[in-house]
């Protein structure tokens, strides 16, 4: 009698290292993510068996699962807790990425020390510095704690051995691109090495219910280095941003399985370390005693968080036939559009003036809600007439000169009132500005000319 033999199905022999797309022949460009040079030969793989095995832990009804074991643990850094949705979740793996020198290591060392001071063991694995170098930085920023352990390792096996020995509640790896496994070919930071290191650390974190913070490098275009699979494996992906000439640092969550992704944390990076800023608006508003023409305060939304920022404008008669248009902290093309709207729709002649428009404190404003403040600042500079003190303005300006509604009108008004402002020029909407604080004056406008006639005349 002939016996049935099962044929092992052969898998495609080429796979994209970024997104996992497979093909039967080599191509230079991935057909899924369109990345060049990421398709690699994987060899012929035999499909695994689909036979069922004995169930070790039976499935439970979701109502019977105890969720208290995954409760948030505060880190001691309020701005980080805000971004994460409440704190660290036991067993969660968090990837923190950012450009070199932005302050990733300083932030995580501060988090490690504050978490260790709650009588929790913390293991800080550094592959970029020696233990003595980390100790020097820890002393400078007051991040020395009794339960904080340091390990300078670049071998994955040795790092996992330290985890087995110390059994920390929090593990920090700085960075995931510096560790390598002896069982995988390739140098540290390569696609296969990063994939193996991340998978091994994540498996250990889930098995031990150990919260893990991974530092990730970024490429020239700002994206996270390594395979895109890394972002899919972790639970939270955070981006740490900031300009080199500015002390302000912003932390955003672009992926969060345990909380929102529309909040932002603000930090001040200085010579004494890094500090959370509960009220960073003071960095973006100048402190002049007398009102100056060409300035306007606006309220921008960073996620769900309203922040006050100041827009400044300076106009000077141009000696050239083509005036200069310079911007800092604003989108240059959008500012050019607003200058054209001011001239064509509001009669503000700017074709003979060099215009310089900038923000205070190095903040970048990309939200359309800042259009009205930019237009009012330029018009104020042209008329050489200061805007009223303690005034804010926000709203999107269209090419027809109309002022369009923006999200969070009432939230912006409440934030301005909290910081001592008393007047606001806002776009008209069918829902209105909402409840207005006592003593606060709100003027709704539908067109740019209304705002100009109201404030400048």
């Amino acid at each position: 009698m002939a016996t049935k033999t099962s044929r092992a199905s052969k898998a495609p022999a080429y796979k994209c290292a970024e997104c996992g797309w497979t093909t039967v022949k080599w191509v230079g460009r991935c057909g899924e993510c369109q990345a060049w040079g990421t398709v690699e030969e994987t060899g012929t793989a035999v499909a695994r068996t689909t036979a069922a095995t004995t169930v070790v832990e039976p499935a439970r009804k979701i109502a019977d699962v105890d969720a208290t074991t995954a409760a948030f643990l505060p880190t001691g850094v309020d701005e980080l807790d805000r971004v994460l949705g409440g704190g660290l979740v036991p067993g969660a793996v968090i990837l923190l990425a950012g450009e070199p020198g932005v302050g990733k290591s300083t932030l995580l060392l501060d988090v490690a020390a504050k978490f260790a001071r709650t009588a929790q063991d913390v293991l800080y694995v550094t592959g970029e510095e020696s233990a003595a170098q980390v100790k020097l930085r820890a002393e400078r920023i007051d991040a020395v704690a009794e339960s904080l352990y340091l390990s300078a390792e670049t071998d994955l096996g040795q790092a996992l051995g330290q985890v087995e020995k110390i059994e920390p509640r929090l593990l920090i790896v700085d960075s995931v691109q510096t560790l390598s496994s002896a069982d995988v070919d390739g140098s540290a930071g390569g696609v296969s090495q990063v994939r193996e290191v991340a998978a091994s650390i994540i498996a250990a974190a889930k098995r031990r219910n150990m919260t893990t913070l991974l530092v990730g490098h970024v490429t020239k275009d700002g994206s996270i280095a390594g395979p895109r699979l890394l972002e899919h494996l972790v639970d939270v992906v955070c981006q740490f941003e900031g300009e080199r000439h500015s002390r302000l640092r912003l932390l955003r969550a672009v992926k969060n399985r345990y909380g929102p992704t529309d909040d932002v944390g603000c930090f001040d990076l200085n010579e004494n370390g890094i500090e959370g800023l509960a009220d960073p608006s003071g960095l973006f508003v100048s402190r002049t005693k007398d009102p100056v023409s060409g300035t306007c305060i606006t309220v921008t939304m960073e996620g769900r968080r309203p922040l006050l920022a100041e827009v400044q404008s300076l106009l000077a008669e141009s000696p050239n036939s083509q005036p200069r248009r310079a911007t800092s902290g604003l989108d240059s093309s959008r500012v050019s559009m607003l200058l054209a709207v001011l001239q064509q729709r509001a009669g503000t002649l700017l074709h003979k003036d060099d215009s310089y428009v900038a923000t205070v404190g190095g903040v970048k404003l990309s939200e359309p809600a800042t259009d009205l403040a930019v237009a009012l600042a330029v018009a104020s500079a042209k008329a050489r007439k200061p805007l009223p003190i303690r005034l804010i303005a926000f709203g999107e300006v269209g090419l027809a000169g109309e002022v369009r509604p923006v999200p969070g009108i009432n939230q912006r008004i409440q934030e301005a009132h909290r910081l001592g402002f008393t007047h606001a020029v806002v776009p008209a909407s069918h829902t209105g500005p909402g409840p207005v604080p006592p003593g606060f004056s709100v003027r709704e406008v539908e067109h740019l000319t209304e705002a100009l006639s109201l404030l400048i005349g």
Side-chain angles (χ1 to χ4, degrees):
M1 180 183 294
T3 59
K4 292 183 179 180
T5 59
S6 60
R7 271 197 231 166
S9 59
K10 294 183 178 180
Y14 296 91
K15 184 177 182 180
C16 176
E18 292 289 336
C19 65
W21 177 74
T22 55
T23 180
V24 294
K25 62 180 181 179
W26 183 87
V27 291
R29 188 177 189 180
C30 174
E32 181 69 23
C33 65
Q34 304 301 316
W36 288 96
T38 58
V39 178
E40 302 174 347
E41 185 176 4
T42 59
T44 303
V46 179
R48 295 181 179 179
T49 178
T50 58
T53 59
T54 303
V55 176
V56 178
E57 183 177 353
R60 292 178 290 171
K61 295 181 179 179
I62 190 170
D64 299 334
V65 177
D66 184 13
T68 58
T69 57
F72 287 107
L73 299 174
T75 62
V77 181
D78 295 337
E79 291 298 300
L80 177 60
D81 292 342
R82 175 201 294 268
V83 175
L84 296 179
L88 301 175
V89 176
V93 180
I94 303 167
L95 177 63
L96 177 65
E99 294 184 354
V102 76
K104 303 182 297 297
S105 300
T106 303
L107 173 62
L108 292 187
L109 187 58
D110 184 51
V111 171
K114 290 181 178 178
F115 194 81
R117 287 167 186 159
T118 62
Q120 306 282 355
D121 288 339
V122 179
L123 175 61
Y124 190 105
V125 178
T126 173
E128 300 179 347
E129 301 174 278
S130 66
Q133 291 172 330
V134 177
K135 174 68 179 300
L136 287 175
R137 189 170 72 251
E139 290 178 341
R140 178 174 59 86
I141 66 175
D142 190 23
V144 179
E146 185 67 25
S147 300
L148 174 58
Y149 296 85
L150 294 179
S151 175
E153 294 288 353
T154 57
D155 182 74
L156 176 61
Q158 293 290 330
L160 293 177
Q162 297 284 2
V163 172
E164 293 282 345
K165 182 178 180 180
I166 299 175
E167 298 183 353
R169 191 71 182 274
L170 173 63
L171 170 66
I172 297 176
V173 178
D174 185 10
S175 66
V176 69
Q177 278 87 3
T178 58
L179 292 183
S180 61
S181 173
D183 299 330
V184 178
D185 295 332
S187 59
V191 173
S192 57
Q193 285 286 356
V194 171
R195 185 188 295 114
E196 175 65 20
V197 169
S200 301
I201 292 176
I202 291 172
K206 301 300 181 183
R207 184 175 65 254
R208 294 177 169 276
N209 208 28
M210 172 185 63
T211 306
T212 303
L213 291 167
L214 305 176
V215 175
H217 295 168
V218 296
T219 58
K220 291 181 179 180
D221 60 356
S223 59
I224 300 176
R228 197 62 185 265
L229 181 67
L230 180 61
E231 298 179 54
H232 293 290
L233 288 176
V234 299
D235 301 306
V236 182
V237 179
C238 293
Q239 287 278 1
F240 206 36
E241 308 167 356
E243 297 290 335
R244 289 187 177 271
H245 62 271
S246 174
R247 291 167 44 179
L248 177 70
R249 298 293 185 264
L250 298 179
L251 180 66
R252 309 174 191 272
V254 296
K255 172 189 175 182
N256 193 351
R257 289 174 177 167
Y258 311 112
T261 57
D262 56 354
D263 216 334
V264 62
C266 299
F267 296 88
D268 179 19
L269 183 65
N270 51 53
E271 61 275 4
N272 297 322
I274 192 165
E275 301 174 0
L277 294 176
D279 189 9
S281 297
L283 296 176
F284 313 138
V285 178
S286 62
R287 297 175 176 86
T288 56
K289 295 181 180 180
D290 301 323
V292 181
S293 62
T295 65
C296 185
I297 310 296
T298 187
V299 185
T300 182
M301 297 294 292
E302 288 288 348
R304 295 182 299 172
R305 188 174 191 176
L307 297 177
L308 266 69
E310 181 176 340
V311 178
Q312 295 183 341
S313 175
L314 176 65
L315 300 179
E317 186 176 353
S318 177
N320 305 318
S321 58
Q322 186 174 359
R324 185 180 181 186
R325 304 287 189 248
T327 61
S328 176
L330 296 161
D331 183 16
S332 58
S333 60
R334 194 162 191 89
V335 172
S336 299
M337 181 198 74
L338 292 172
L339 296 178
V341 172
L342 275 170
Q343 178 157 315
Q344 296 298 322
R345 303 298 184 185
T348 304
L349 300 181
L350 303 170
H351 61 285
K352 294 183 179 180
D353 295 328
D354 290 334
S355 64
Y356 304 88
V357 186
T359 58
V360 172
V363 64
K364 288 186 176 181
L365 301 180
S366 58
E367 192 186 16
T370 60
D371 289 352
L372 184 58
V374 173
L376 291 176
V378 173
S380 171
K382 180 64 177 179
R384 296 186 179 181
K385 181 179 179 181
L387 295 176
I389 301 177
R390 301 196 179 280
L391 168 81
I392 63 161
F394 56 85
E396 180 182 358
V397 178
L399 292 177
E402 77 279 11
V403 181
R404 301 172 182 170
V406 294
I409 292 179
N410 186 258
Q411 191 175 358
R412 300 172 199 257
I413 292 175
Q414 297 291 339
E415 178 68 10
H417 175 261
R418 186 182 71 84
L419 295 176
F421 289 81
T422 56
H423 300 78
V425 177
V426 304
S429 63
H430 65 281
T431 57
V436 179
F440 197 91
S441 174
V442 177
R443 181 64 181 266
E444 295 183 275
V445 296
E446 296 182 353
H447 199 272
L448 180 59
T449 54
E450 293 183 47
L452 294 178
S453 61
L454 175 67
L455 299 175
I456 298 176

